[in-house]
Amino acid sequence: MFVRHPLFRPLAALALLLLVDLLLIPGFFHLEVKDGHLYGSLIDIVNRAAPLMLAALGMTLVIATRGIDISVGAVVAISGTVAAMLVGGGMVINHGVPEYVSRVPMAWALAAALGAALLCGAWNGLLVAGLGLQPIVATLILMVAGRGLAQLMTDGQIVTVYYQPYFFIGGGYLLGLPFALYIVGAVFLATALLMRRTALGLFIQTVGINPVAARLAGVRTAVLIFLVYVFCSACAGLAGLMISANIKSADANNAGLLLELDAILAVTLGGTSLGGGKFSLVGSVVGALIIQTLTYTIYSLGLAPEVNMVVKSAVVFLVCLSQSAEFKTMWGRLRARALHSKQGGTV
Amino acid sequence: MSIPAHAAGSTPRAPQAAPVLELRGICKQFPGVKALSDVGLRLFPGEVHTLMGQNGAGKSTLIKVLTGVYTPDRGQILLDGAVIRPASTLEAQRLGISTVYQEVNLCPNLSVAENIFIGRYPRRFGRIDWQAMRSQAAALLERMGIRIDVAAPLARYPLAIQQMVAISRALNVRARVLILDEPTSSLDESEVALLFGVLRQLRADGMAILFVTHFLEQTYAISDRITVMRNGEREGEYACAELSRLALVNKMVGAPDHHGADEARPGAELDAALDVGLLARAHAHAPARQPAFLLARGLGRKGALAPLDLDIHPGELLGLCGLLGSGRTEAARLLFGADKADSGAIAIDGKPRAIASPRDAIAAGIGFCSEDRKHEGAVLELSVRENIILALQARGGLLRAIPMRHQQALAEEYVRALGIKTASVETPIGSLSGGNQQKVLLARWLATAPRMLILDEPTRGIDVRAKQEIMDYVAALCRKGMAILFISSELSEVLRCSDRMLVLRDRKACGEFARGELDEHSVLQVIAAGESCA
Amino acid sequence: AKPLVIGFSQVGAESEWRTANTVSIKDAAKQAGVTLKFADAQQKQENQVKAIRSFIAQKVDVIAFSPVVESGWDTVLREAKAAKIPVVLTDRAVNVSDTSLYVTFIGSDFVEEGRRAGKWLLERAAKTPDANLNIVELQGTVGSAPAIDRKKGFEEVIAANPRLKVIRSQTGDFTRAKGKEVMEAFLKAEGKKINVLYAHNDDMAIGAIQAIEEAGLKPGTDIVVISIDGVKGAFEAMIAGKLNVTVECSPLLGPQLMQIARDVVAGKPVPKRITTVEGVFPAEVAAKEFPNRKY
Amino acid sequence: MNTMRMNPIQVRWRALLASPYFTSLVTVALLAVLLAAGGASYPGFLSLQVLFNLLIDNAFLLVIAVGISFVILSGGIDLSVGSVLALSTMVAAWLLQVWHLPPLLVIAVVLLLGAGFGAAMGALIHYFKLQPFIVTLAGMFLARGLCYLISVSSITITDPLFVAMSQTQLAVPGGFVSPGVLIALLTLALAIYMGHYTPFGRALYAVGGNEQSALMMGLAVGRSKVLVYAFSGGCAALGGVLFSFYMLSGYGLHAQGAELDAIAAVVIGGTLLSGGYGYVAGALSGVLVLGTIQTLIAFDGTLSSWWTKIVIGGLLFVFCVVQRLMGRAAA
Ligand SMILES: Nc1ncnc2c1ncn2[C@@H]1O[C@H](COP(=O)(O)OP(=O)(O)OP(=O)(O)O)[C@@H](O)[C@H]1O
Ligand SMILES: Nc1ncnc2c1ncn2[C@@H]1O[C@H](COP(=O)(O)OP(=O)(O)OP(=O)(O)O)[C@@H](O)[C@H]1O
Ligand SMILES: [Mg+2]
Ligand SMILES: [Mg+2]
């Protein structure tokens, strides 16, 4: 029964990966308290995975409606840039002593950044739900232009932030755990509750599985699709804040580059089909953790950078195969045949 | 006279030749459901063999096992006495088994002609000969009485046409065994007659035909022998001529065969026993006519429906009559806002009201059960419960989710009321039998307690017994004040049930008749002549 | 006279360095009264080829570009030559069978940059003659010319001292975020064993410095940090004592490019290789240099 | 009925509007508008050679877009094409420069490798019911990774045949094209034939329209799916060969993001990403649209990097919206 659960396989894959780490990387599970917070590889992994988890949460709902959003990376760049520029400040050297100043109150800056992300989402939503463009082209437009906009704001420079409280979002600790984790947790809980307690989950699935039936049953398909893109961008915006706060700067050129691919990968690894319909938020979070654990493992193993990609792809293939019921039956049949022939041999 | 299955071979009426196709001891288990247990079936060359049984009895599953869609858990399939194990429909086709499945399985994006010919195109210089394909397709359809543009994509045509295309496709194969799973569920009598003509000819050529239907008339019109299934088991195999209708129904539902063997054959008596009486009773005390619930004036859409006037009153059952493609479905869709009307106006309760989308219609208290359950109704991966509450929830809005306990209670209530055969209300609707899916969709609209319900072929694929119960249920609702617009390809059903009838012809209204004004014959005359065209 | 028209195909805008390079060229063109046709290749060689073809079609006077990749330029440069348009390379070299296809190459030498970084480390190591120094390296994008060359030059030089050992080398894609992420993993895996960090650019170094601080170590003291480029952020880090040295790789090629273009059009002979004047800036001079930095 | 009362021109016009290729026609018309706008704004833009350059520079993209078209028509996706292209250039360069194999053999090997790579992914997708997106994404990592295993830096190709293919200019009225253009156009023609006149091509449409139905109709769904990925892999490899003609080098960083360009081209060309609807020929118009946008920007020559991106996005937006609105007006 337990093995049948859709989350069993992603979780098993994650466990397997961690087992490999346990065997190959000394001290991988070592945790210590440093400066009043936990410190160790596992903490790094969840910390780095936080933006990806957020992006994957947003992407899950988009995919559930049979859509796709490839502008996530650009939105990350935009929101990080807006926040960093507004919080920003510069370093002034007064008699050889560096001094840091913030430009506008941080709350404003954060609100502006999230506002920009919401605008991006609304734009995507309008193109997909309003005009009926195919999601991939609709979001391609923002993917290309969005990063350009972010670069335009910064003139292509990396905006360094000097304002300490801002760093808390991406690098701070609360009760010994990374603050980013609390943000992800809050978004996850809010989303999960919304899906459970309101009809949103039901409607999203319906729209993903059979949009015609949904419309005839009186579901507001267009509004729903619009909202889903807005939500996805909002998640990406939050992720952008985290990323820029973590590196204490906004890098419009590189922030969130290809994050959309990782997010989609996380969603699919979590067991949600790109064909829309049934989705699993927990699955996507687990998928994101799988990806980050894998990346971290590659770094920790000391592999040459040339083989990174080969290893990564091999693991993705293996994880997928381990999730395939067909593979299991085929494997079982092969083993049965091997056993059979062995017995045949002894007779 | 019923013949025990095992003895069937020894009766004089059994064909002398060996069976082309034989199934022995077939078992098939789905998670939580034993769909088939130890089922046998024999199919002889040159016969039409009808498979009958209630919704969920296992007919479609048996056919899918037979044609390689499912692999049986146990049992054997023999073709010409040799065991076969088709692993796919492709293989079954190669073995000479051609099939029309219950749900129309065609590709909506391809043209009609291509849907008929895909997989066995006419070729010329090694390439597909589109010209030849189109003309051959047109000729094939013509034989079934259908004249349409075969180069247009299939999606453009209504379900009934799609069903005809699916049948044409199956007929086009050089096969020895032809299997038709409820091919007639949305066809009109004239189409059915044409189809039967073709089937008879094929039978004369020695083809073995396995046929599934819920229409007793059709069963008796064409079949040589009948196999009755009940609850995944074979109840028995009978020669058609020796089984009375009532006995057949009793065997399907598992009632004792107390009427005995000397039951008179004519259908009228059965009709009386089955439904007319009940319905007639339902309408005997029809309440006094109230002011119209919905008034439509000049409602039309270019290319789909000429401007139509229509009014419907609370407590009234209005039937829409017409031939295939006469515009009934279009009229229903316009009323419901599923398509946008480009002329005309609608008033609800005497006040003008814009209905531009299904949401508007639902808000105005209208429900619409579409004829195409696969594409416009069922949300296959979702559970029976979710499918039932969908429209109700959509009307309630996003935030006010119906409490889970209430949802379950509601779903269970309808499962009981409509006799939906399902393992639980949490089963995905996709794993229900066709007829049971249809009941779930009906439940979806009943659950919204609409003031007016549009039923487009609501009993499509529903077995005789359940059909009676459902129509009863609907009639009862109607009596309580619901307005009902009823569309069915079974003319007799419409005639029997409706208080008033609107006849459509060529996408135009051509007459309105009160109950009792018309009989089957005169309706056909109206449709054919179109004299009283408005 | 008609103003000189130069078509310039830039790699993209992937880093601050690159942006400074673009700005320098645009400003210089404006000052020199040259009409500049600028095209951004978004990091794709095929886009650069397209841009060069369009420059040929527009009959510009000089074509200049910073090649994304070294190889694969023969055909399009031949077309330029056939159209009698001189070609000037900036920043990165190309690998063509016939060197007459371009007039000159202005730019830094990545291998040399790597060597300089190595030399600085050698000198530093000389101060503590018997200590073993464990180095971790943050490489640029796998396969990119700066990554390959900076690694090569560095390794070449430090081979002279057997006590210098690269214990980990991983790509940080030239970005802060990746630099930080990879450094975090290095720190967990190697811990206090790390003595030196060599980053192929300043951005990765800045990211890594944050990781070092978060691990409770002092960048610049506990771990010596060496990087390349010399962008403003690096100078800030040096002033704060977190970065030990940055090897300059100057993006300010604009004025030189304009001069060369004029010379070429005027028919004056120009050297085949013009190396930009670049320095090595250790932390000690950072505060003094900072006000002079343009990028 | 209604049509009776319309005059013949109206009838023909309505037939055109209703015809399934109307969207494609819109695309072509918009492309013409785009070119005309360029011609009006920039001197030298409308020379024939500029148009030929569009083909020369995008030949490889056209080939991979053709391959991906089929995959998308069948309801799948192939993200690995850019990487397979890069891998093909790498393998070709390596075999030529390090192993000194004859060039024709090298080309054959590369094409087979590409097709094999695609077929393997197709088999995973079909037999193990894996999602095409994940499988081909992993394939994308794998192919790129393999490039670096061969060599981290680029390998210059000096083989005479490749050099000749690179530098030959086939004269056509108004300018010249490269042999790569001919190969790409031939591939396109072959693909159009396949898509329209062969059972394989039609089976792909059926699978894309409704895989379940295609299976029930007795089509060889599994074989078609494996073959279509093999075809796409083969096209990617051919794209790689063209790319190595074009660049005369093998490199792991070649054609980064080309898969997205190809998918965008196919979708802009009117093919539905969900499968079943569209034409292979749309790939050409899509590629030309993207190429024209880039050429416009190169001719403008004043845009900074970010404005380049913004303008590309803006032009894409205008193009797609106009295409969509006109298409919708017809429906
Ligand atoms: N794919 C499936 N998964 C699980 N259960 C199934 C599946 N297909 C059919 N069943 C179950 O098997 C039983 C038999 O279904 P089947 O479709 O054969 O009925 P049927 O006789 O064709 O009914 P109908 O007249 O309504 O078409 C039903 O209880 C149904 O719920
Ligand atoms: N016998 C026929 N010959 C040609 N076209 C037909 C025929 N029957 C239906 N059509 C097509 O069907 C379409 C109209 O279908 P519509 O949905 O209005 O029919 P309907 O009256 O609801 O009948 P049903 O729902 O039983 O199919 C028209 O577009 C027409 O092309
Ligand atoms: Mg059935
Ligand atoms: Mg109808």
Side-chain angles (χ1 to χ4, degrees):
Chain A
M1 216 55 252
F2 165 72
V3 176
R4 282 246 178 78
H5 195 276
L7 276 178
F8 174 76
R9 285 181 176 150
L11 280 173
L14 182 59
L16 215 68
L17 212 54
L18 289 173
L19 189 71
V20 171
D21 289 336
L22 177 68
L23 296 178
L24 293 186
I25 303 167
F28 186 84
F29 285 87
H30 179 75
L31 284 177
E32 58 185 305
V33 178
K34 224 172 213 178
D35 302 337
H37 60 74
L38 284 174
Y39 178 85
S41 304
L42 290 179
I43 297 296
D44 280 355
I45 290 179
V46 288
N47 214 349
R48 284 312 138 254
L52 181 56
M53 290 195 250
L54 274 181
L57 282 177
M59 189 69 81
T60 309
L61 297 193
V62 169
I63 286 179
T65 62
R66 243 192 233 183
I68 198 154
D69 184 351
I70 56 172
S71 69
V72 166
V75 176
V76 162
I78 290 179
S79 89
T81 305
V82 169
M85 288 185 73
L86 292 181
V87 172
M91 184 178 69
V92 259
I93 302 182
N94 279 339
H95 315 292
V97 187
E99 243 174 49
Y100 307 137
V101 281
S102 91
R103 211 170 282 161
V104 299
M106 194 168 93
W108 286 26
L110 298 188
L114 287 181
L118 289 179
L119 270 182
C120 291
W123 165 263
N124 280 339
L126 215 62
L127 292 190
V128 177
L131 280 172
L133 287 189
Q134 293 194 54
I136 197 164
V137 243
T139 54
L140 175 72
I141 292 169
L142 189 61
M143 178 196 185
V144 179
R147 200 169 283 281
L149 283 173
Q151 286 177 321
L152 176 69
M153 285 186 264
T154 64
D155 257 349
Q157 300 296 308
I158 295 179
V159 182
T160 308
V161 183
Y162 299 100
Y163 187 61
Q164 286 290 340
Y166 181 67
F167 306 154
F168 194 72
I169 303 171
Y173 286 84
L174 189 65
L175 304 178
L177 288 174
F179 181 65
L181 215 53
Y182 292 91
I183 300 184
V184 175
V187 172
F188 172 79
L189 278 182
T191 318
L193 272 182
L194 218 57
M195 293 302 133
R196 278 278 170 85
R197 289 288 151 83
T198 73
L200 214 57
L202 174 68
F203 289 173
I204 287 178
Q205 288 177 33
T206 309
V207 168
I209 299 169
N210 191 340
V212 181
R215 195 177 92 90
L216 284 182
V219 177
R220 276 185 219 259
T221 49
V223 175
L224 212 63
I225 291 174
F226 177 83
L227 286 181
V228 158
Y229 282 89
V230 172
F231 175 73
C232 184
S233 283
C235 285
L238 262 180
L241 291 181
M242 264 181 205
I243 291 175
S244 89
N246 181 44
I247 57 166
K248 305 177 181 173
S249 57
D251 183 352
N253 314 312
N254 295 304
L257 209 59
L258 298 187
L259 185 68
E260 51 275 350
L261 276 189
D262 275 344
I264 299 170
L265 186 60
V267 173
T268 32
L269 281 178
T272 300
S273 152
L274 279 176
K278 294 260 172 205
F279 62 89
S280 161
L281 292 172
V282 190
S284 301
V285 169
V286 174
L289 285 174
I290 292 178
I291 295 175
Q292 195 57 37
T293 309
L294 176 57
T295 313
Y296 197 90
T297 306
I298 290 176
Y299 294 154
S300 305
L301 282 177
L303 297 175
E306 294 89 67
V307 300
N308 283 3
M309 287 197 175
V310 176
V311 174
K312 194 169 177 182
S313 62
V315 174
V316 173
F317 276 131
L318 284 180
V319 169
C320 291
L321 279 179
S322 75
Q323 298 191 8
S324 153
E326 280 74 13
F327 180 73
K328 231 167 133 191
T329 48
M330 193 172 285
W331 183 244
R333 227 179 293 148
L334 276 179
R335 274 193 30 197
R337 199 175 300 163
L339 258 173
H340 192 77
S341 64
K342 216 194 249 162
Q343 282 171 349
T346 53
V347 168
Chain B
M1 182 186 299
S2 64
I3 305 148
H6 335 284
S10 59
T11 58
R13 284 198 59 92
Q16 295 307 310
V20 212
L21 193 69
E22 188 174 357
L23 277 77
R24 286 187 193 150
I26 299 285
C27 294
K28 178 74 192 173
Q29 174 109 31
F30 290 115
V33 191
K34 197 148 175 58
L36 297 174
S37 46
D38 198 21
V39 177
L41 179 78
R42 296 179 310 159
L43 212 53
F44 293 91
E47 73 160 348
V48 175
H49 189 129
T50 302
L51 198 54
M52 297 214 61
Q54 280 184 291
N55 294 134
K59 305 178 294 293
S60 300
T61 307
L62 187 70
I63 287 171
K64 288 184 177 169
V65 163
L66 173 54
T67 53
V69 180
Y70 297 148
T71 30
D73 301 335
R74 230 166 337 112
Q76 280 183 323
I77 307 168
L78 293 99
L79 187 71
D80 290 327
V83 176
I84 56 166
R85 274 190 208 87
S88 67
T89 43
L90 179 64
E91 215 176 309
Q93 257 179 32
R94 291 213 178 113
L95 290 167
I97 305 173
S98 179
T99 318
V100 177
Y101 295 97
Q102 180 172 13
E103 300 297 341
V104 171
N105 276 297
L106 296 173
C107 293
N109 56 327
L110 302 183
S111 70
V112 170
E114 212 176 343
N115 267 296
I116 296 178
F117 280 94
I118 194 162
R120 43 178 175 274
Y121 294 96
R123 305 274 200 102
R124 195 158 167 234
F125 307 126
R127 64 179 180 77
I128 297 172
D129 185 351
W130 288 88
Q131 206 76 37
M133 183 168 95
R134 293 202 183 116
S135 56
Q136 285 178 33
L140 261 170
L141 285 173
E142 180 96 54
R143 188 167 153 209
M144 310 286 289
I146 293 178
R147 265 177 225 98
I148 52 172
D149 176 10
V150 292
L154 182 82
R156 213 175 281 171
Y157 293 99
L159 189 68
I161 298 287
Q162 298 191 12
Q163 210 161 44
M164 294 299 265
V165 172
I167 294 170
S168 308
R169 175 179 169 80
L171 295 181
N172 181 37
V173 192
R174 298 232 161 277
R176 310 190 33 226
V177 177
L178 176 65
I179 302 177
L180 302 162
D181 192 354
E182 296 193 34
T184 53
S185 62
S186 56
L187 298 189
D188 277 332
E189 273 157 46
S190 50
E191 273 75 29
V192 172
L194 280 165
L195 173 65
F196 281 5
V198 175
L199 291 187
R200 286 198 187 94
Q201 198 187 333
L202 290 173
R203 170 170 64 184
D205 295 345
M207 192 185 265
I209 297 170
L210 183 64
F211 182 64
V212 178
T213 185
H214 288 297
F215 296 110
L216 298 182
E217 290 302 327
Q218 296 177 6
T219 306
Y220 283 96
I222 190 131
S223 33
D224 300 306
R225 283 175 326 124
I226 301 174
T227 290
V228 178
M229 290 190 63
R230 193 171 70 225
N231 280 332
E233 288 174 24
R234 184 178 69 163
E235 203 276 339
E237 184 188 280
Y238 310 91
C240 180
E242 290 162 20
L243 186 67
S244 80
R245 295 175 188 222
L246 200 54
L248 171 57
V249 172
N250 281 337
K251 288 188 192 308
M252 277 162 58
V253 302
D257 201 1
H258 53 75
H259 284 276
D262 46 18
E263 171 75 43
R265 279 249 15 237
E269 188 181 332
L270 180 77
D271 283 347
L274 281 181
D275 42 23
V276 173
L278 290 166
L279 279 168
R281 244 176 291 132
H283 281 276
H285 318 286
R289 218 183 204 206
Q290 295 168 19
F293 167 71
L294 179 141
L295 277 173
R297 288 292 169 264
L299 194 67
R301 182 182 157 91
K302 249 206 206 108
L305 190 70
L308 173 80
D309 293 345
L310 179 147
D311 46 344
I312 182 160
H313 301 259
E316 182 188 47
L317 206 155
L318 176 66
L320 269 188
C321 282
L323 294 180
L324 197 66
S326 55
R328 296 165 300 180
T329 297
E330 261 85 347
R333 290 179 62 91
L334 288 183
L335 283 173
F336 190 62
D339 294 330
K340 270 213 181 68
D342 45 29
S343 69
I346 290 180
I348 305 267
D349 288 330
K351 285 188 272 304
R353 185 142 182 175
I355 292 187
S357 73
R359 275 190 73 77
D360 295 344
I362 293 168
I366 304 177
F368 170 55
C369 192
S370 157
E371 64 179 343
D372 190 346
R373 69 165 161 257
K374 188 173 161 191
H375 294 112
E376 298 180 346
V379 186
L380 291 180
E381 280 105 281
L382 294 189
S383 68
V384 170
R385 168 181 58 81
E386 287 164 317
N387 268 286
I388 289 180
I389 61 132
L390 184 61
L392 186 62
Q393 178 66 65
R395 195 178 62 189
L398 205 63
L399 296 179
R400 262 168 299 152
I402 305 170
M404 184 54 94
R405 201 165 319 142
H406 188 176
Q407 292 187 15
Q408 274 162 349
L410 202 67
E412 267 153 21
E413 185 191 322
Y414 279 105
V415 165
R416 222 173 310 115
L418 300 181
I420 297 170
K421 195 184 167 207
T422 171
S424 86
V425 291
E426 297 304 329
T427 313
I429 189 179
S431 58
L432 261 55
S433 80
N436 284 307
Q437 288 182 17
Q438 186 72 31
K439 293 183 195 170
V440 171
L441 298 184
L442 198 59
R444 174 187 295 171
W445 291 107
L446 294 177
T448 64
R451 294 183 57 202
M452 168 175 156
L453 189 55
I454 305 173
L455 299 172
D456 195 354
E457 314 267 7
T459 52
R460 183 175 155 236
I462 290 183
D463 69 55
V464 241
R465 180 59 183 273
K467 191 184 275 180
Q468 166 209 342
E469 284 166 12
I470 286 174
M471 286 318 294
D472 242 13
Y473 196 94
V474 168
L477 288 174
C478 190
R479 234 180 327 158
K480 284 193 200 134
M482 195 187 284
I484 289 176
L485 184 68
F486 182 61
I487 304 172
S488 168
S489 47
E490 264 182 291
L491 195 51
S492 55
E493 198 180 17
V494 183
L495 283 169
R496 217 159 47 218
C497 303
S498 29
D499 299 312
R500 208 152 48 87
M501 275 193 311
L502 194 64
V503 182
L504 294 182
R505 176 172 178 274
D506 268 351
R507 299 152 184 284
K508 235 192 239 162
C510 65
E512 202 188 294
F513 304 89
R515 181 177 178 77
E517 237 181 280
L518 287 180
D519 58 16
E520 227 166 295
H521 186 67
S522 46
V523 171
L524 285 174
Q525 251 175 355
V526 171
I527 291 172
E531 263 154 16
S532 47
C533 262
Chain C
K2 215 165 54 97
L4 192 67
V5 181
I6 300 182
F8 180 74
S9 166
Q10 180 59 290
V11 172
E14 75 283 5
S15 63
E16 273 186 297
W17 188 96
R18 186 64 61 194
T19 316
N21 181 238
T22 306
V23 171
S24 159
I25 288 167
K26 285 191 166 173
D27 287 352
K30 206 179 282 165
Q31 267 172 20
V34 167
T35 309
L36 184 74
K37 291 263 170 195
F38 177 84
D40 180 319
Q42 324 256 341
Q43 275 86 255
K44 289 184 189 165
Q45 186 181 14
E46 55 272 29
N47 287 355
Q48 282 198 311
V49 174
K50 286 173 204 175
I52 293 173
R53 289 224 160 90
S54 85
F55 293 150
I56 299 174
Q58 295 178 77
K59 306 197 171 59
V60 299
D61 298 312
V62 176
I63 291 175
F65 69 106
S66 300
V68 178
V69 190
E70 289 187 351
S71 48
W73 297 101
D74 272 287
T75 313
V76 68
L77 292 190
R78 247 172 246 280
E79 284 170 30
K81 194 176 178 188
K84 300 206 172 54
I85 302 176
V87 173
V88 178
L89 307 175
T90 66
D91 173 34
R92 298 183 190 176
V94 298
N95 191 348
V96 284
S97 50
D98 173 6
T99 51
S100 76
L101 289 178
Y102 64 89
V103 186
T104 181
F105 162 45
I106 318 169
S108 354
D109 181 340
F110 297 139
V111 183
E112 183 55 32
E113 287 162 7
R115 287 196 198 112
R116 287 183 186 170
K119 271 181 210 143
W120 184 89
L121 183 60
L122 275 186
E123 282 162 24
R124 164 116 191 182
K127 290 180 197 156
T128 51
D130 13 72
N132 282 325
L133 290 184
N134 291 322
I135 306 167
V136 293
E137 181 184 31
L138 287 174
Q139 298 184 26
T141 307
V142 180
S144 66
I148 296 170
D149 292 349
R150 286 173 184 170
K151 182 172 163 61
K152 195 168 127 200
F154 185 74
E155 279 173 353
E156 207 178 287
V157 171
I158 62 162
N161 184 343
R163 274 179 297 103
L164 296 181
K165 209 166 86 215
V166 177
I167 52 171
R168 293 260 164 163
S169 182
Q170 184 55 263
T171 173
D173 280 332
F174 284 133
T175 68
R176 282 192 192 185
K178 277 279 169 199
K180 181 171 185 182
E181 191 178 333
V182 175
M183 192 64 200
E184 277 175 354
F186 283 174
L187 286 164
K188 301 292 177 316
E190 302 290 345
K192 298 234 160 66
K193 273 196 287 181
I194 304 172
N195 306 110
V196 179
L197 164 68
Y198 169 47
H200 285 188
N201 79 346
D202 288 337
D203 284 340
M204 289 192 292
I206 293 168
I209 284 171
Q210 293 174 8
I212 297 172
E213 286 179 317
E214 281 166 24
L217 297 172
K218 277 208 167 61
T221 321
D222 295 337
I223 295 179
V224 173
V225 185
I226 307 170
S227 76
I228 297 182
D229 271 2
V231 298
K232 260 190 189 152
F235 278 83
E236 288 174 5
M238 285 195 288
I239 293 170
K242 295 171 181 175
L243 180 73
N244 299 75
V245 64
T246 182
V247 176
E248 188 185 31
C249 174
S250 176
L252 307 178
L253 303 175
Q256 258 175 312
L257 174 61
M258 296 309 140
Q259 191 50 49
I260 296 290
R262 275 187 197 295
D263 292 351
V264 167
V265 173
K268 288 187 207 161
V270 288
K272 200 78 197 172
R273 175 77 171 88
I274 302 168
T275 313
T276 39
V277 194
E278 290 168 336
V280 176
F281 296 101
E284 298 79 57
V285 302
K288 198 166 103 282
E289 273 297 318
F290 186 66
N292 307 332
R293 301 308 292 175
K294 293 214 180 65
Y295 58 96
Chain D
M1 287 192 310
N2 288 333
T3 39
M4 294 294 203
R5 266 170 256 128
M6 291 193 295
N7 63 36
I9 294 176
Q10 263 179 316
V11 171
R12 218 172 293 159
W13 181 237
R14 283 199 65 150
L16 178 69
L17 285 181
S19 77
Y21 10 81
F22 182 74
T23 325
S24 318
L25 291 180
V26 170
T27 310
V28 173
L30 281 175
L31 188 59
V33 170
L34 216 55
L35 285 170
S41 338
Y42 309 112
F45 186 89
L46 270 192
S47 78
L48 275 174
Q49 189 55 47
V50 171
L51 296 183
F52 293 142
N53 282 348
L54 221 51
L55 286 175
I56 297 175
D57 295 330
N58 292 299
F60 75 94
L61 187 60
L62 177 59
V63 172
I64 58 176
V66 162
I68 239 178
S69 272
F70 275 133
V71 176
I72 291 180
L73 279 175
S74 79
I77 190 122
D78 189 351
L79 296 175
S80 72
V81 288
S83 305
V84 171
L85 186 153
L87 181 60
S88 307
T89 64
M90 204 69 190
V91 170
W94 184 58
L95 292 181
L96 287 170
Q97 302 302 124
V98 180
W99 294 94
H100 303 289
L101 296 186
L104 287 179
L105 178 66
V106 168
I107 292 176
V109 168
V110 162
L111 291 182
L112 277 179
L113 268 182
F117 193 90
M121 289 192 302
L124 283 177
I125 291 166
H126 177 69
Y127 291 107
F128 300 123
K129 302 266 174 300
L130 301 183
Q131 298 200 45
F133 189 93
I134 291 204
V135 171
T136 57
L137 184 67
M140 164 176 152
F141 293 147
L142 180 63
R144 281 258 179 240
L146 290 176
C147 292
Y148 299 134
L149 289 191
I150 296 176
S151 162
V152 175
S153 50
S154 70
I155 305 177
T156 304
I157 297 175
T158 53
D159 175 80
L161 178 80
F162 275 62
V163 172
M165 290 302 268
S166 172
Q167 287 164 9
T168 309
Q169 301 188 342
L170 304 170
V172 285
F176 66 89
V177 297
S178 63
V181 172
L182 286 194
I183 298 178
L185 290 179
L186 271 178
T187 311
L188 178 70
L190 180 76
I192 292 175
Y193 178 85
M194 261 173 55
H196 197 62
Y197 288 112
T198 66
F200 169 65
R202 300 318 296 174
L204 294 181
Y205 276 87
V207 172
N210 189 334
E211 184 171 336
Q212 188 60 33
S213 290
L215 199 65
M216 298 288 238
M217 285 161 101
L219 296 180
V221 172
R223 198 183 57 195
S224 306
K225 275 170 75 181
V226 174
L227 276 180
V228 78
Y229 285 96
F231 179 76
S232 168
C235 279
L238 181 61
V241 171
L242 294 189
F243 204 86
S244 34
F245 290 166
Y246 184 57
M247 297 294 186
L248 286 180
S249 70
Y251 192 27
L253 288 175
H254 270 332
Q256 283 208 302
E259 54 282 336
L260 196 61
D261 288 343
I263 294 171
V266 169
V267 173
I268 290 170
T271 299
L272 282 197
L273 195 63
S274 44
Y277 293 90
Y279 299 92
V280 185
L284 178 63
S285 53
V287 166
L288 290 181
V289 168
L290 291 183
T292 310
I293 289 180
Q294 270 176 0
T295 313
L296 277 175
I297 285 168
F299 264 80
D300 184 83
T302 58
L303 298 174
S304 58
S305 301
W306 29 96
W307 277 113
T308 303
K309 288 182 189 153
I310 296 170
V311 172
I312 292 180
L315 286 173
L316 260 180
F317 168 72
V318 171
F319 192 92
C320 292
V321 167
V322 173
Q323 184 191 37
R324 172 76 197 145
L325 291 181
M326 288 181 71
R328 192 191 261 185

